[in-house]
Coordinates of all heavy atoms in Angstrom, one line a residue:
F1 N 106.1 106.9 82.9 CA 106.0 105.9 81.8 C 106.5 104.6 82.3 O 105.8 103.5 82.0 CB 106.8 106.4 80.6 CG 106.7 105.5 79.4 CD1 105.6 105.5 78.6 CD2 107.7 104.6 79.2 CE1 105.5 104.6 77.5 CE2 107.6 103.7 78.1 CZ 106.5 103.7 77.3
M2 N 107.6 104.5 83.0 CA 108.2 103.3 83.4 C 107.4 102.6 84.6 O 107.6 101.5 84.8 CB 109.7 103.4 83.7 CG 110.5 103.7 82.5 SD 110.4 102.5 81.2 CE 110.8 101.0 82.0
L3 N 106.6 103.4 85.3 CA 105.8 102.8 86.3 C 104.6 102.2 85.7 O 104.1 101.1 86.2 CB 105.3 103.9 87.3 CG 106.3 104.3 88.4 CD1 105.8 105.6 89.1 CD2 106.6 103.2 89.3
G4 N 104.1 102.7 84.6 CA 102.9 102.2 84.0 C 103.2 101.0 83.0 O 102.4 100.0 83.0
L5 N 104.3 101.1 82.3 CA 104.6 100.0 81.3 C 104.8 98.6 82.0 O 104.2 97.7 81.4 CB 105.9 100.4 80.6 CG 106.4 99.4 79.5 CD1 105.3 99.3 78.4 CD2 107.7 99.9 78.9
P6 N 105.5 98.5 83.1 CA 105.6 97.1 83.6 C 104.3 96.6 84.1 O 104.0 95.4 83.9 CB 106.6 97.3 84.8 CG 107.3 98.5 84.5 CD 106.4 99.4 83.8
C7 N 103.4 97.5 84.7 CA 102.1 97.0 85.1 C 101.3 96.5 83.9 O 100.6 95.5 83.9 CB 101.3 98.2 85.8 SG 102.1 98.7 87.3
F8 N 101.4 97.3 82.8 CA 100.7 96.9 81.5 C 101.1 95.6 81.0 O 100.3 94.7 80.7 CB 100.8 98.0 80.5 CG 100.1 97.7 79.2 CD1 98.8 97.9 79.1 CD2 100.9 97.4 78.1 CE1 98.1 97.7 77.9 CE2 100.2 97.1 76.9 CZ 98.9 97.3 76.8
V9 N 102.5 95.4 80.9 CA 103.0 94.2 80.3 C 102.7 93.0 81.2 O 102.3 91.9 80.7 CB 104.5 94.3 80.1 CG1 105.2 93.0 79.7 CG2 104.8 95.4 79.0
M10 N 102.9 93.2 82.5 CA 102.7 92.1 83.5 C 101.2 91.6 83.6 O 100.9 90.5 84.0 CB 103.2 92.4 84.8 CG 104.7 92.5 84.9 SD 105.5 90.9 84.6 CE 107.2 91.3 85.1
S11 N 100.3 92.5 83.2 CA 98.9 92.2 83.2 C 98.6 91.2 82.1 O 97.5 90.5 82.2 CB 98.0 93.4 83.1 OG 98.2 94.0 81.8
F12 N 99.4 91.1 81.1 CA 99.2 90.1 80.0 C 100.1 88.9 80.1 O 99.7 87.8 79.6 CB 99.4 90.8 78.7 CG 98.4 91.8 78.3 CD1 98.7 93.2 78.5 CD2 97.2 91.5 77.7 CE1 97.7 94.1 78.2 CE2 96.3 92.4 77.4 CZ 96.5 93.8 77.6
V13 N 101.3 89.0 80.7 CA 102.2 87.9 80.8 C 102.1 87.2 82.1 O 102.2 87.9 83.2 CB 103.7 88.5 80.6 CG1 104.7 87.4 80.7 CG2 103.8 89.2 79.2
R14 N 102.0 85.9 82.1 CA 101.8 85.2 83.4 C 103.2 84.9 84.0 O 103.3 84.8 85.2 CB 101.1 83.8 83.1 CG 99.7 84.0 82.6 CD 98.8 84.5 83.8 NE 97.4 84.7 83.4 CZ 96.5 85.1 84.3 NH1 96.8 85.3 85.5 NH2 95.3 85.3 83.9
S15 N 104.2 84.7 83.2 CA 105.5 84.4 83.7 C 106.3 85.7 84.1 O 106.4 86.6 83.3 CB 106.3 83.6 82.7 OG 107.7 83.5 83.1
R16 N 106.7 85.7 85.4 CA 107.4 86.9 85.8 C 108.7 87.0 85.1 O 109.1 88.2 84.7 CB 107.6 86.8 87.3 CG 108.4 88.0 87.9 CD 108.5 87.9 89.4 NE 107.3 87.8 90.1 CZ 107.2 87.7 91.4 NH1 108.3 87.8 92.2 NH2 106.0 87.6 92.0
A17 N 109.5 85.9 84.9 CA 110.8 86.0 84.2 C 110.6 86.5 82.8 O 111.4 87.3 82.3 CB 111.4 84.6 84.3
L18 N 109.6 86.0 82.1 CA 109.4 86.4 80.7 C 109.0 87.9 80.7 O 109.4 88.6 79.8 CB 108.3 85.6 80.1 CG 107.9 85.9 78.6 CD1 109.1 85.8 77.7 CD2 106.7 85.0 78.2
G19 N 108.2 88.3 81.6 CA 107.8 89.7 81.7 C 109.0 90.6 81.9 O 109.1 91.7 81.2
Y20 N 109.9 90.2 82.8 CA 111.1 91.0 83.0 C 112.0 91.1 81.7 O 112.6 92.1 81.4 CB 112.0 90.4 84.1 CG 111.3 90.7 85.5 CD1 111.5 89.8 86.5 CD2 110.5 91.8 85.7 CE1 111.0 90.0 87.8 CE2 110.0 92.0 87.0 CZ 110.2 91.1 88.0 OH 109.6 91.3 89.2
I21 N 112.1 90.0 81.0 CA 112.9 89.9 79.8 C 112.3 90.9 78.7 O 113.0 91.6 78.1 CB 113.0 88.5 79.3 CG1 113.8 87.6 80.2 CG2 113.6 88.5 77.9 CD1 113.9 86.2 79.8
L22 N 111.0 90.8 78.6 CA 110.3 91.7 77.6 C 110.5 93.2 78.0 O 110.8 94.0 77.1 CB 108.8 91.3 77.6 CG 108.4 90.0 76.9 CD1 106.9 89.8 77.0 CD2 108.8 90.0 75.4
L23 N 110.4 93.5 79.3 CA 110.5 94.9 79.7 C 111.9 95.4 79.5 O 112.1 96.5 79.1 CB 110.0 95.0 81.2 CG 108.5 94.8 81.4 CD1 108.2 94.7 82.9 CD2 107.8 96.1 80.9
L24 N 112.9 94.6 79.9 CA 114.3 95.0 79.7 C 114.6 95.2 78.2 O 115.3 96.1 77.8 CB 115.2 94.0 80.4 CG 115.2 94.0 81.9 CD1 116.0 92.8 82.4 CD2 115.7 95.3 82.5
G25 N 114.0 94.3 77.4 CA 114.2 94.4 76.0 C 113.6 95.6 75.4 O 114.2 96.3 74.6
L26 N 112.4 96.0 75.8 CA 111.7 97.2 75.4 C 112.5 98.4 75.8 O 112.7 99.4 75.0 CB 110.3 97.2 75.9 CG 109.3 96.3 75.3 CD1 108.0 96.3 76.1 CD2 109.0 96.7 73.8
T27 N 113.0 98.4 77.0 CA 113.8 99.5 77.5 C 115.1 99.7 76.7 O 115.5 100.8 76.4 CB 114.1 99.4 79.0 OG1 112.9 99.2 79.8 CG2 114.8 100.6 79.6
A28 N 115.7 98.6 76.4 CA 116.9 98.6 75.6 C 116.7 99.2 74.2 O 117.4 100.0 73.7 CB 117.6 97.2 75.5
L29 N 115.5 98.8 73.6 CA 115.1 99.3 72.3 C 114.9 100.8 72.4 O 115.3 101.6 71.5 CB 113.9 98.6 71.8 CG 114.0 97.2 71.3 CD1 112.7 96.6 71.0 CD2 115.0 97.1 70.1
L30 N 114.2 101.3 73.4 CA 114.0 102.7 73.6 C 115.3 103.5 73.8 O 115.5 104.6 73.3 CB 113.1 103.0 74.8 CG 111.6 102.6 74.6 CD1 110.8 102.7 75.9 CD2 110.9 103.4 73.5
F31 N 116.2 102.8 74.5 CA 117.5 103.5 74.8 C 118.5 103.5 73.6 O 119.1 104.6 73.3 CB 118.2 102.8 76.0 CG 119.5 103.4 76.4 CD1 119.5 104.6 77.0 CD2 120.7 102.7 76.1 CE1 120.8 105.2 77.4 CE2 121.9 103.3 76.4 CZ 121.9 104.5 77.1
Y32 N 118.6 102.4 72.9 CA 119.6 102.3 71.8 C 119.1 102.7 70.4 O 119.8 103.3 69.6 CB 120.1 100.9 71.8 CG 121.1 100.6 72.9 CD1 120.7 99.7 73.9 CD2 122.3 101.1 73.0 CE1 121.5 99.4 75.0 CE2 123.2 100.9 74.1 CZ 122.8 100.0 75.1 OH 123.6 99.7 76.1
Y33 N 117.8 102.3 70.1 CA 117.4 102.4 68.7 C 116.2 103.4 68.5 O 116.2 104.2 67.6 CB 117.0 101.1 68.2 CG 118.1 100.1 68.3 CD1 118.1 99.0 69.2 CD2 119.2 100.1 67.4 CE1 119.1 98.1 69.3 CE2 120.2 99.2 67.5 CZ 120.2 98.2 68.4 OH 121.2 97.3 68.5
A34 N 115.2 103.3 69.4 CA 114.0 104.1 69.2 C 114.2 105.6 69.3 O 113.4 106.4 68.7 CB 112.9 103.7 70.1

């Protein structure tokens, strides 16, 4: 799942830094809340 998710998100986001922030945020949501 974590190999596919970054590829999917980065295919839509042009900024690498923004993509990393989104991915870390999604992972934190899955870890703490979801």
Side-chain angles (χ1 to χ4, degrees):
F1 182 80
M2 291 307 302
L3 281 171
L5 182 62
C7 295
F8 179 77
V9 172
M10 289 297 190
S11 67
F12 291 96
V13 179
R14 293 290 178 180
S15 171
R16 182 179 301 184
L18 178 59
Y20 287 151
I21 293 174
L22 289 174
L23 288 167
L24 290 173
L26 287 172
T27 304
L29 286 175
L30 289 171
F31 179 73
Y32 287 107
Y33 302 107

